[in-house]
Amino acid sequence: MTKVMNVAMIGGGFMGKAHAMAYASMPMFFWPAPAIPHRKIVVDITDGAAEEARQRFGFDEASSDWRAVINRPDIDVVDICTPNNVHAEIAIAAAKAGKHIICEKPLARTVEEARAMTEAAKAAGIIHMVAFNYRRTPAVALAKKFIEEGRIGRILNFRGTYLQDWSADENGPLSWRFQKKIAGSGAVGDIGTHVVDLAHYLVGPIAEVIAMTKTYVETRPIQQGGVDKLGASEKAADVERAPVDVDDEVISMLRFDGGAIGSLEATRNAWGRNNFITLEIHGTKGSIHFNYERRDELQVMFADDPADARGFRTIYTGPAHPYGNGLWPIPGLGIGYSETKIVECFDFFSAIASGEQPSPNFEDGLLTELVADAMLRSGETGKWESVK
Ligand code: SOE
């Protein structure tokens, strides 16, 4: 019999929706499943919001008291889907209570918080994971496989971008994502860290960075209501404004431990770009290109192809590729955001079943925080900053 594990999900917003969907779907895709996640209890900031999330996301129970919930003996897994300011407090308490933890990205607001979370998780001996889901896209995992097999040789260069436009409107509301005390940083922490995670996954540790950071919109209308609207539906031009104290954009050069060089750009102010995560990696024997907006596809160029057939070719991921035995049976049927979260859920519960830490775990999340911190420091100093 496949083991059933009770999940307490803290936070019933956008990420709560993605995780709840993954808990329900994972065994439908990956069978036999490593465990069956049971949606036991969802926590939100008020009883009303928690009850709404319970009904909507299919949990047995609802609560507005995360402390009481994480100490319950019938809870196996704590899932942190809250804004960044409470990640550390919840994760450290959940680790002390002996629960396995999956935490939304970025791991924390600061290196200090990320370090404390990592130490608590390691001391407790629990399984821990940070939800950097994009490395779970089959095409990205295929890129990793080609790199590990040496198909593009030694890596010379990594170019990564993450461009969105949901904060380009200067009247988009001042959500928590524009407030340092809640978010920690802006584009750097929110989406730049996804690219750092991908760079670490595909190329290896980043040793030093030199970065420019910029805040384009200095004040925003104070948000009416607590929901994270991602700028889209509330354009409150006539509402009182308050300062933005995080970065809107980062452009960074990178030096990797292994000798490769690279660049990273992240902004939420790029009109026309939605979830434009692009990766281009050049090696001594070929190149790889990926664009999340065409996430079924991996573009590859192998230098030893016949001269008359030289060029990028498109591989459509499917059963022959990573996670292909669980996802859809024909290439091109469509990989979506949901699939990345289902795969993430599969990898997390596989780690619990095997007792081996998944990646990215909290230690990996801490390394990513160190790079983000170096970028923010470099944005101030204008100098190369070491990640160590
Ligand atoms: C907003 O930029 C956001 O929701 C990020 O916080 C997520 O990590 C990203 O996957 C989608 O965009």
Side-chain angles (χ1 to χ4, degrees):
M1 273 285 279
T2 307
K3 191 170 178 195
V4 176
M5 302 197 80
N6 284 336
V7 177
M9 189 174 85
I10 323 291
F14 168 22
M15 279 308 119
K17 172 172 156 180
H19 288 217
M21 180 279 315
Y23 293 134
S25 308
M26 185 271 277
M28 300 180 206
F29 282 83
F30 293 96
W31 193 259
I36 299 195
H38 181 71
R39 284 161 287 158
K40 185 71 183 165
I41 184 161
V42 58
V43 180
D44 215 320
I45 42 176
T46 63
D47 287 343
E51 174 54 21
E52 212 176 306
R54 186 194 71 75
Q55 288 181 30
R56 182 173 177 196
F57 301 138
F59 282 76
D60 291 350
E61 300 171 52
S63 170
S64 56
D65 182 355
W66 64 260
R67 286 181 185 80
V69 167
I70 61 168
N71 284 303
R72 277 173 47 160
D74 60 342
I75 297 302
D76 302 300
V77 165
V78 171
D79 178 2
I80 305 173
C81 292
T82 62
N84 308 346
N85 58 326
V86 280
H87 284 189
E89 195 185 357
I90 298 174
I92 291 166
K96 284 190 180 144
K99 312 301 181 189
H100 303 301
I101 308 172
I102 177 162
C103 181
E104 258 309 321
K105 46 53 61 181
L107 183 57
R109 289 174 298 185
T110 61
V111 166
E112 290 66 35
E113 284 184 342
R115 188 166 280 130
M117 293 165 80
T118 305
E119 280 166 9
K122 285 171 79 176
I126 48 106
I127 295 293
H128 42 96
M129 189 184 208
V130 195
F132 283 115
N133 57 308
Y134 296 115
R135 58 157 89 183
R136 258 90 205 173
T137 316
V140 174
L142 179 61
K144 166 90 169 160
K145 179 172 170 282
F146 285 154
I147 290 168
E148 280 182 347
E149 289 171 351
R151 302 277 286 273
I152 64 164
R154 182 168 49 83
I155 305 300
L156 305 174
N157 183 296
F158 168 94
R159 290 187 176 82
T161 71
Y162 197 155
L163 315 179
Q164 300 182 317
D165 74 359
W166 63 263
S167 78
D169 186 329
E170 63 178 14
N171 288 323
L174 184 83
S175 83
W176 65 267
R177 292 172 194 268
F178 299 105
Q179 299 173 50
K180 189 172 177 187
K181 67 176 188 302
I182 308 180
S185 66
V188 170
D190 189 23
I191 55 174
T193 52
H194 276 299
V195 183
V196 173
D197 179 67
L198 291 166
H200 281 168
Y201 177 57
L202 294 169
V203 183
I206 295 168
E208 56 176 349
V209 304
I210 183 164
M212 283 187 291
T213 54
K214 178 91 183 161
T215 303
Y216 297 119
V217 182
E218 305 274 354
T219 66
R220 288 184 179 272
I222 293 169
Q223 183 167 324
Q224 313 297 301
V227 182
D228 183 5
K229 295 185 173 160
L230 289 171
S233 55
E234 188 172 71
K235 304 281 158 58
D238 52 347
V239 174
E240 190 191 342
R241 303 177 78 93
V244 170
D245 57 1
V246 296
D247 55 287
D248 282 328
E249 176 157 337
V250 58
I251 302 180
S252 180
M253 291 198 282
L254 317 169
R255 274 204 194 103
F256 290 84
D257 272 348
I261 59 173
S263 66
L264 173 155
E265 290 183 51
T267 176
R268 304 170 297 189
N269 287 53
W271 280 123
R273 294 301 181 197
N274 297 298
N275 213 51
F276 196 75
I277 304 170
T278 64
L279 306 171
E280 183 150 314
I281 301 173
H282 301 159
T284 50
K285 293 192 203 160
S287 296
I288 287 175
H289 177 85
F290 171 76
N291 175 356
Y292 181 80
E293 291 184 359
R294 300 187 67 89
R295 58 202 158 269
D296 284 356
E297 304 173 14
L298 188 69
Q299 302 270 327
V300 293
M301 191 282 176
F302 297 125
D304 56 6
D305 280 344
D308 63 356
R310 178 170 288 181
F312 274 98
R313 71 175 89 144
T314 305
I315 300 170
Y316 286 83
T317 56
H321 301 119
Y323 306 113
N325 55 356
L327 296 171
W328 304 109
I330 300 173
L333 282 182
I335 294 300
Y337 186 71
S338 304
E339 278 79 358
T340 68
K341 285 295 188 185
I342 290 164
V343 170
E344 176 177 276
C345 178
F346 169 68
D347 282 345
F348 177 60
F349 281 92
S350 299
I352 295 175
S354 71
E356 303 224 340
Q357 290 300 344
S359 183
N361 53 45
F362 282 13
E363 277 187 271
D364 302 308
L366 169 60
L367 281 184
T368 293
E369 263 338 290
L370 285 163
V371 177
D373 184 67
M375 283 176 188
L376 292 167
R377 276 189 279 123
S378 176
E380 299 282 320
T381 63
K383 297 194 173 121
W384 282 95
E385 293 287 345
S386 167
V387 170
K388 303 284 169 337

